[in-house]
Amino acid sequence: MMRTTGTGHRGEQDDTPIRVLVQDGEHWMRNVGDLAMLSVTLRRLRDHWPDASLHVMTSAPTLLRAYHPDVHPVSDGRLPRWIAQPLSAVGSRLGPSIAGVGSVGSLRARDFLWGAARRIRTRSVAEQVAAPVEESGADADRRDIATRPAVASALRGASLVLAVGGGYMNDIDPWQFHCTLDLLQSAVERGTPTAMIGQGFGPLTAESLVARAGKVLPAVDVIALREGRAGPGLLAGFGVPADRVVVTGDDAIALAYSIRREEMGASLGVCLRVAEYSPVASRAQEAVGRAVRSVAGAAGARLVPLIISEHQSEDRRSTLPLVAGYPDVAPVQGRFVTPLDVARRVGECRILVTGAYHLAVFALAQGIPVVGLSSSRYYDDKLLGLDAMFGGNCVELLRLDDADLEERVAAAARSAWQRAPEVRLRLRESAATQVDLSNEAFDRVVALVDEGQSRPTAPEIDGHASGPPFVLFEQ
């Protein structure tokens, strides 16, 4: 396998195997949507470069290896190396259901101990300094990631640094935002090709994040967006050249589209996301529950509770009460299922009522209309952008703070139920188009390595041009 060298003249070739460093969208491996995007990306990389060495940033090496035995976990610093390496070694021999329990337990124990140590350190500093300036937990943890030898080693040997899509290029998750840009910046300064795929951008308003985006993103070789409603304008504002940006749709569409069924489902799928970034009042939760039970009962349909995020059981805690008391409820899936398992369960539905973005992706990709539930601009943008990618009028977006929420959810669900047969083919055709666009963007990414495309002189980042590695990654 031939490749261009990561530094020096891009046209030179050697016999070193391809090495790809992948920045995943969710390091705990507890979100099925992020797992779906990662699975599609790893499959494409493996199909294109069968002998490549694939390295993935993670907090959960055991669970990563359980899902993908042929990849190399790169610890993000949340677990000590002496724990992470043994866990990684056993992960490939365990199924996700077994590996997941140990993975979550070790991370929770780590967070508890780290928090206790930080509180002790803070008290100690407070005794010595009258007005101490504390480093935030997110910044401290990020510093640990950037200085870890495993990360520095992965960057030094990388032929390509690739950021997989997720909901982190926004104000919601500054830790993941900075982690991703740190990796991309270091790669740019080393002359290593960089790409971001399946990305959703915004809302992005925090001054420090906007400034950082404007310094790093213009130097990224390829940025593939999952929607064309908000992302292109944001990137143009950051100074990203238009010829480096392409709109493809969500990479997880390929996974769900690949297992589409010929027969239409007869169930009503439901999920409600309640989280810090998606607040929902208890009365709104109760209204959604009454509405879906009423519509399903009138149609004689089974209710299917669906789970995307297992972080702190957020989807389970808010979704299972919606179906409580209904006479025909599908068994809820386990906590460590695969994205294919969830996509197949979605395929059993005729319509979907959801506050989780990637369930809507799984549904639309299989030709299933969606009633979307939102309580924030973040989810407004995600669901409206998804609707536009599928041609419009396939996601009816409802605000969870509407006074007449129950009536509106019921009316929207009944309407979706009636028109499900007529929109099925159109949605699948749109999904196929987006899969083609996503494949074309991937071809463009791997060409950065295969064809040894030379990079123009990197723009200055944080006051210096390409040259010595970014200081945070030095051992």
Side-chain angles (χ1 to χ4, degrees), residues 20-27 34 37-38 41 45 55-57 160-166 168-169 176-177 179-185 187 193-201 217 220 222-225 251 445:
V20 182
L21 175 59
V22 177
Q23 161 65 338
D24 189 23
E26 195 273 310
H27 288 193
D34 293 302
M37 290 184 289
L38 178 64
T41 299
L45 289 168
H55 302 253
V56 179
M57 294 286 295
L160 171 69
V161 173
L162 180 61
V164 178
Y168 56 86
M169 296 307 296
Q176 190 78 313
F177 177 96
C179 177
T180 301
L181 293 192
D182 284 353
L183 291 171
L184 293 170
Q185 175 169 341
T194 55
M196 305 176 75
I197 58 175
Q199 294 290 332
F201 277 83
L217 294 179
V220 176
V222 177
I223 301 179
L225 301 174
D251 291 331
V445 169

Side-chain angles (χ1 to χ4, degrees), residues 91-411:
S92 60
R93 297 191 292 272
L94 303 174
S97 59
I98 298 175
V101 173
S103 177
V104 172
S106 62
L107 282 166
R108 285 177 175 169
R110 176 267 174 199
D111 277 359
F112 173 81
L113 294 174
W114 185 88
R118 183 167 177 267
R119 287 191 294 272
I120 292 171
R121 185 174 69 249
T122 300
R123 285 197 296 269
S124 176
V125 170
E127 293 173 357
Q128 301 175 45
V129 182
V133 177
E134 293 187 23
E135 183 178 44
S136 71
D139 285 345
D141 220 11
R142 182 179 133 231
R143 178 199 60 197
D144 292 341
I145 292 172
T147 57
R148 281 189 66 85
V151 178
S153 176
L155 280 163
R156 281 196 301 271
S159 314
L160 171 69
V161 173
L162 180 61
V164 178
Y168 56 86
M169 296 307 296
N170 50 49
D171 297 322
I172 304 291
D173 192 352
W175 184 91
Q176 190 78 313
F177 177 96
H178 282 298
C179 177
T180 301
L181 293 192
D182 284 353
L183 291 171
L184 293 170
Q185 175 169 341
S186 183
V188 167
E189 293 173 348
R190 294 172 185 274
T192 305
T194 55
M196 305 176 75
I197 58 175
Q199 294 290 332
F201 277 83
L204 193 55
T205 60
E207 185 176 344
S208 61
L209 302 186
V210 170
R212 189 82 203 283
K215 290 176 180 177
V216 177
L217 294 179
V220 176
D221 291 303
V222 177
I223 301 179
L225 301 174
R226 65 190 185 191
E227 55 80 32
R229 181 173 176 268
L234 278 172
L235 291 177
F238 297 143
V240 178
D243 61 358
R244 298 192 182 190
V245 179
V246 60
V247 178
T248 64
D250 196 293
D251 291 331
I253 292 170
L255 181 144
Y257 182 73
S258 72
I259 51 93
R260 63 197 183 280
R261 311 185 330 167
E262 289 304 317
E263 67 277 12
M264 180 178 295
S267 301
L268 192 160
V270 61
C271 176
L272 182 63
R273 172 70 53 80
V274 179
E276 182 179 354
Y277 55 86
S278 179
V280 182
S282 58
R283 64 179 180 277
Q285 298 180 53
E286 294 165 1
V288 172
R290 289 192 299 269
V292 296
R293 293 193 299 270
S294 172
V295 173
R302 166 175 275 200
L303 278 176
V304 181
L306 295 160
I307 309 299
I308 281 287
S309 174
E310 293 286 3
H311 176 64
Q312 298 180 347
S313 300
E314 57 191 3
D315 284 359
R316 289 178 183 270
R317 288 186 288 105
S318 51
T319 299
L320 296 186
L322 305 183
V323 302
Y326 188 75
D328 187 8
V329 178
V332 66
Q333 291 179 297
R335 294 180 181 272
F336 301 100
V337 295
T338 69
L340 279 174
D341 293 330
V342 178
R344 288 193 179 98
R345 182 63 65 90
V346 172
E348 299 171 4
C349 301
R350 180 179 174 118
I351 69 168
L352 175 68
V353 177
T354 181
Y357 163 81
H358 265 108
L359 282 176
V361 171
F362 289 169
L364 296 174
Q366 298 180 75
I368 300 166
V370 171
V371 177
L373 306 174
S374 173
S375 65
S376 65
R377 180 186 166 192
Y378 174 57
Y379 267 97
D380 289 350
D381 286 351
K382 291 176 77 167
L383 293 171
L384 289 173
L386 181 62
D387 179 65
M389 289 300 298
F390 277 87
N393 300 315
C394 55
V395 178
E396 183 161 355
L397 181 63
L398 303 178
R399 292 285 304 191
L400 286 159
D401 53 3
D402 283 347
D404 55 349
L405 180 63
E406 182 177 346
E407 292 76 12
R408 295 198 64 188
V409 172

